[in-house]
Amino acid sequence: MATATITLNHYENHHSLTIAPPNSGLSLQGQVQIPGDKSISHRALMLGAIAQGETQIQGLLLGEDPRSTAACFRAMGAEISELNSELVTVKGIGLGQLQEPVNVLDAGNSGTTMRLMLGILASHPDRFFTVTGDASLRSRPMSRVIQPLQQMGAQIWHRSGGLAPLAIQGQALQPIHYHSPIASAQVKSCILLAGLMAAGETTVTEPALSRDHSERMLRAFGATVKVDSETCSATVMGQAQLQGQTVIVPGDISSAAFWMVAAAIVPGSELLIQNVGINPTRTGVLEALSQMEADVTLENQRTVTGEPVADVRVRHSSLKACAIAADLIPRLIDEIPILAVAAVFAQGTTVIRDAAELRVKESDRLSVMATQLSRMGAKITELPDGLEITGGTPLVGAEVDSYTDHRIAMSLAIAALTATGTTTIQRAEAAAISYPDFTATLQRVVS
Ligand code: S3P
């Protein structure tokens, strides 16, 4: 079987990844174990820290983002054992009991850490907190959580434009019913977490349903949570008692998506991706691939600590263009970069709309995917709120850049497998944010 040459090159401040596929005969085969779900990993660490008693977490993602969450909550007194994917224990210190940290809390590259944590910090009376992040996070909008928290009575200072670093003087907060202008699980979760300490019911209504891991996990930890899926509303009852739990973190469908698309577009491929979380608020990528007529089957479906899980088998097939928009967007928000790669191989023109949120992710993912895939010869046009991609033009190897965005780095690596010639992805170390073993797994499935 032909194999690709995949090399990591180390420079002083960054890595690049060089991918040179063979002239013909490359295919991807075997089984893939994906890392733990990033969203669930953050929430397990946070709820574990503010619950009473011990939380045990199996399958935690060991990426940089959950490490940032663990470091922040350790700095506020939670005892979190050394992070590993077997078992992490969190000795919770109880709701409202976080200690004032003696230094700035650093959320690194992680929007989930900063936004969810803000709800918890703002509701801790008599404590003062400062929060920052890396250059990418310091350029991402925080007003979306600052404004509703201020409506609850929070005191938060920020740089102009609602940017971090932030300073928070914790307060006793009032419950609210917040109508969010965007479908965002980070906004929803931030307010629900703040509502845990408020006297009464706090409700968030969003324009479309975003991922519901917070609602599920809050319930598992003992909070009273009501969900109305028709109105896309979630309500938490304040002054809750949270009790430590065992959380088994399923594999991250957002990480699985790279292998799904890789197997779908590389002729002769078949991959079995094991232990993939298939929470219905996250499975938009399966629906988009099914619209594209990809050969995807779910096997061994089961439920693991309140989250649905399956093994996903993907075989190569010819793909058709599809339309991705409206309520589907929040259910595949993180998979749009890799779906753009799939669209390059689909017959016809794929149109992605209503995805302006991608401009405020770890990078401007619409602009970066359009420029980087164009360098490889793809017919891709940036729209104000999406992408238009006409499939069928073969890719050529090129020098491309992740813009320090993990999902861009991995999407470009999968695209590179199909190109004629060598592709070098600059700043490829970004993959470690959500998928530290990505390159090692890529090397294994192509050989
Ligand atoms: C996340 C929510 C999404 C997603 C992010 C993780 C979460 O962000 O893009 O990777 O864990 O709540 P938004 O809520 O900003 O859409």
Side-chain angles (χ1 to χ4, degrees):
M1 195 173 74
T3 184
T5 308
I6 298 172
T7 328
L8 254 185
N9 317 291
H10 300 262
Y11 302 101
E12 205 176 322
N13 297 321
H14 75 284
H15 300 173
S16 70
L17 181 63
T18 302
I19 298 179
N23 290 337
S24 65
L26 177 74
S27 71
L28 282 70
Q29 305 290 340
Q31 302 188 346
V32 182
Q33 288 277 353
I34 45 164
D37 187 279
K38 183 157 77 67
S39 295
I40 296 175
S41 295
H42 284 300
R43 286 159 173 79
L45 289 166
M46 290 190 194
L47 292 195
I50 60 171
Q52 257 161 16
E54 189 169 284
T55 287
Q56 301 202 327
I57 310 170
Q58 295 173 28
L60 186 89
L61 167 64
L62 301 181
E64 299 296 331
D65 273 9
R67 289 187 191 283
S68 297
T69 293
C72 289
F73 282 84
R74 281 183 183 128
M76 295 186 285
E79 266 180 57
I80 302 175
S81 67
E82 197 187 318
L83 301 192
N84 65 65
S85 56
E86 307 282 293
L87 180 66
V88 173
T89 56
V90 183
K91 290 206 176 110
I93 49 180
L95 199 60
Q97 301 303 314
L98 290 176
Q99 295 160 16
E100 184 173 288
V102 295
N103 207 339
V104 181
L105 296 168
D106 187 355
N109 189 245
S110 173
T112 309
T113 306
M114 186 171 282
R115 296 197 178 113
L116 269 59
M117 188 167 68
L118 217 54
I120 297 174
L121 305 184
S123 57
H124 267 70
D126 307 322
R127 319 273 208 293
F128 181 74
F129 308 90
T130 49
V131 187
T132 192
D134 70 5
S136 154
L137 189 54
R138 279 183 276 113
S139 72
R140 296 178 64 187
M142 293 299 143
S143 306
R144 55 182 59 197
V145 285
I146 293 172
Q147 279 170 5
L149 288 173
Q150 284 172 336
Q151 285 177 30
M152 297 176 81
Q155 260 195 302
I156 301 171
W157 293 265
H158 52 81
R159 284 198 298 134
S160 44
L163 302 179
L166 310 172
I168 303 105
Q169 177 66 56
Q171 303 289 331
L173 300 184
Q174 304 303 313
I176 49 168
H177 186 157
Y178 184 63
H179 292 268
S180 176
I182 42 174
S184 159
Q186 294 182 356
V187 171
K188 173 174 63 178
S189 305
C190 167
I191 298 161
L192 294 179
L193 289 169
L196 284 175
M197 292 270 289
E201 286 187 352
T202 292
T203 301
V204 182
T205 299
E206 38 182 2
L209 196 61
S210 66
R211 63 192 67 190
D212 67 356
H213 304 299
S214 296
E215 295 90 307
R216 286 173 189 249
M217 205 184 287
L218 278 166
R219 245 189 218 145
F221 275 68
T224 304
V225 178
K226 287 184 285 184
V227 171
D228 180 348
S229 45
E230 252 167 46
T231 59
C232 301
S233 300
T235 300
V236 70
M237 185 59 95
Q239 298 180 331
Q241 286 297 323
L242 300 183
Q243 190 61 46
Q245 297 295 318
T246 296
V247 180
I248 302 173
V249 183
D252 198 325
I253 191 168
S254 299
S255 299
F258 300 108
W259 307 120
M260 291 181 201
V261 171
I265 64 177
V266 178
S269 297
E270 176 169 348
L271 290 176
L272 180 66
I273 311 153
Q274 290 171 313
N275 187 33
V276 182
I278 52 161
N279 177 316
T281 59
R282 298 283 300 280
T283 46
V285 63
L286 297 176
E287 280 158 47
L289 286 173
S290 143
Q291 272 192 58
M292 296 175 104
E293 299 184 3
D295 182 351
V296 179
T297 44
L298 300 188
E299 299 176 2
N300 190 17
Q301 293 196 38
R302 62 243 187 225
T303 300
V304 179
T305 58
E307 291 279 352
V309 174
D311 301 333
V312 181
R313 187 180 298 278
V314 186
R315 298 186 185 89
H316 170 259
S317 62
S318 50
L319 299 181
K320 293 224 164 59
C322 72
I324 302 175
D327 290 3
L328 190 54
I329 295 292
R331 298 179 49 237
L332 46 65
I333 188 78
D334 292 337
E335 288 68 75
I336 290 173
I338 191 63
L339 283 169
V341 174
V344 171
F345 293 86
Q347 203 192 339
T349 299
T350 294
V351 182
I352 303 170
R353 300 300 310 238
D354 306 319
E357 269 295 298
L358 260 70
R359 296 203 181 277
V360 290
K361 293 292 178 189
E362 287 83 330
S363 69
D364 176 343
R365 287 182 174 161
L366 298 179
S367 156
V368 175
M369 282 311 288
T371 54
Q372 303 309 296
L373 281 180
S374 295
R375 286 191 181 189
M376 299 179 76
K379 283 197 183 149
I380 177 166
T381 314
E382 192 181 335
L383 306 173
D385 63 344
L387 293 168
E388 194 174 278
I389 304 140
T390 301
T393 310
L395 295 184
V396 285
E399 173 119 352
V400 290
D401 190 349
S402 78
Y403 282 77
T404 73
D405 183 327
H406 54 131
R407 300 204 196 279
I408 303 280
M410 293 185 275
S411 299
L412 293 174
I414 299 304
L417 292 177
T418 65
T420 308
T422 300
T423 296
T424 298
I425 303 153
Q426 297 297 344
R427 301 192 272 182
E429 72 281 358
I433 291 291
S434 61
Y435 203 152
D437 292 337
F438 176 77
T439 305
T441 304
L442 185 60
Q443 282 165 328
R444 187 171 59 74
V445 294
V446 298
S447 60

